[in-house]
Amino acid sequence: QVQLVESGGGLVQAGESLRLSCTPSRTFFSINDMGWYRQAPGKQRELVAHITDTGSTNYADSVKGRFTISRDSAKNTVSVQMNSLKPEDTAVYYCNIVGKMRWIEDVKTYWGQGTQVTVSS
């Protein structure tokens, strides 16, 4: 079973930056989409940023212009650079990968365990 290992979370002040990265414990046979989601206390999990296998990206309106998602297809990693952080960005951030571990398998969705990002005002 593959695990998605997230890193880079922490406590920062408003206006500062963080970079989150996600690395699978095993190499995927193929990856379709990769992304980052977040869930704040008392709220539903929401999409933060998404990148396809062709490099197309989309972002939540609340992070456009501040966050940048990137992927390294050779390393199966996905990262998000978060600049100008705001207190409302405080949440647990989850890595998401859609792909196949082996060619014979169906495409599946995999989630990381989450990493806490806290932005103080």
Side-chain angles (χ1 to χ4, degrees):
Q1 183 73 13
V2 64
Q3 292 184 337
L4 305 187
V5 181
E6 297 136 332
S7 61
L11 171 64
V12 296
Q13 293 187 335
E16 294 184 340
S17 300
L18 281 174
R19 183 178 180 84
L20 305 182
S21 293
C22 173
T23 302
S25 60
R26 293 169 51 199
T27 301
F28 279 77
F29 171 76
S30 64
I31 294 177
N32 296 359
D33 300 335
M34 308 177 89
W36 288 92
Y37 290 70
R38 68 186 180 188
Q39 187 167 18
K43 295 187 177 181
Q44 290 188 331
R45 189 174 298 188
E46 64 175 0
L47 173 70
V48 174
H50 170 265
I51 185 166
T52 69
D53 55 352
T54 60
S56 296
T57 59
N58 68 287
Y59 298 90
D61 288 342
S62 60
V63 308
K64 283 181 180 177
R66 300 188 296 123
F67 290 14
T68 303
I69 190 170
S70 61
R71 63 187 282 171
D72 185 331
S73 297
K75 298 180 180 179
N76 287 185
T77 60
V78 59
S79 301
V80 60
Q81 177 68 38
M82 306 186 297
N83 298 330
S84 303
L85 284 162
K86 304 176 180 180
E88 51 264 43
D89 294 318
T90 295
V92 177
Y93 284 69
Y94 297 90
C95 170
N96 169 273
I97 295 180
V98 179
K100 293 184 179 183
M101 295 305 303
R102 297 187 300 162
W103 70 271
I104 199 171
E105 295 180 351
D106 293 332
V107 173
K108 296 180 182 178
T109 299
Y110 298 86
W111 290 95
Q113 293 297 311
T115 184
Q116 177 69 46
V117 171
T118 303
V119 184
S120 63
S121 57

